[in-house]
Amino acid sequence: MAARKLAVAAVALMLSACSLLKPADKAEEGDNKGTPPASTGETTTDGREVPTVRLITAQTPAVRAYRKIGARHIYSKYASRIYKGKLPPLVYAVVVVETDIDATGKVVNVTFSRTPSHAPEVAPMIAEMIKAASPLPNPGKLGGHTYVDTWLWDRSDKFQIDSLTQGQRSR
């Protein structure tokens, strides 16, 4: 009986958590009299809304395909730096890179959502490599966007990008 009560309580907790994560209803964003919504994290300037945070593009099939196109472009620019074959079981650094491109493929900004504290020299090298490879191929209908990819860096200063990795050896 106690296990059943615990299970019911767990389900109720999960359902209440789901309601916290759902997007706000349009009616809650402001009344129908033209008043702007309360604090939404955006600033209004000259009647136009300007986001205060950078949005990462959802990983749709088109974005995943573009990640591979961008990675191939970087591979072609740095062919001698690509780690051939499967990476060793422990890579030197794993860096999660956010690349902002405009509608023509020009790299606008490179930021990191994960950098290794034991290898602080790797992230700036990656940023410079991406910027030097700009412009990336034209993103077409995707337009300007921010996409995320993971760089796997070996001690030899060679790398693979997760979109095109050949995997890792088990030993």
Side-chain angles (χ1 to χ4, degrees):
M1 189 67 156
R4 187 175 192 189
K5 286 182 181 179
L6 184 60
V8 170
V11 169
L13 184 60
M14 286 189 292
L15 290 174
S16 66
C18 289
S19 68
L20 293 174
L21 300 176
K22 75 177 185 178
D25 191 351
K26 292 288 182 193
E28 295 174 2
E29 290 182 1
D31 62 18
N32 293 330
K33 297 176 185 169
T35 55
S39 178
T40 62
E42 295 184 353
T43 310
T44 304
T45 307
D46 298 326
R48 295 178 298 177
E49 291 184 5
V50 180
T52 58
V53 294
R54 196 170 46 86
L55 298 175
I56 296 172
T57 308
Q59 296 299 303
T60 63
V63 171
R64 284 193 302 271
Y66 186 80
R67 281 176 47 195
K68 288 185 178 188
I69 291 167
R72 283 189 197 105
H73 177 79
I74 291 169
Y75 272 37
S76 70
K77 296 284 185 185
Y78 301 103
S80 64
R81 303 274 312 265
I82 306 305
Y83 191 97
K84 306 294 187 227
K86 290 187 174 192
L87 289 161
L90 295 173
V91 293
Y92 177 59
V94 176
V95 182
V96 180
V97 183
E98 299 170 7
T99 304
D100 302 333
I101 60 168
D102 68 12
T104 65
K106 179 183 173 199
V107 174
V108 177
N109 194 22
V110 177
T111 56
F112 304 94
S113 53
R114 179 178 190 239
T115 58
S117 59
H118 68 279
E121 75 282 3
V122 175
M125 286 192 288
I126 290 172
E128 287 305 313
M129 292 171 73
I130 293 171
K131 290 174 183 175
S134 182
L136 299 177
N138 189 313
K141 291 181 181 178
L142 280 174
H145 65 281
T146 300
Y147 70 94
V148 179
D149 215 334
T150 303
W151 286 53
L152 307 167
W153 198 271
D154 185 62
R155 290 188 183 282
S156 64
D157 280 345
K158 293 187 177 192
F159 66 91
Q160 287 183 5
I161 299 176
D162 186 55
S163 298
L164 300 177
T165 188
Q166 295 180 14
Q168 287 181 278
R169 299 186 307 258
S170 60
R171 296 178 193 229

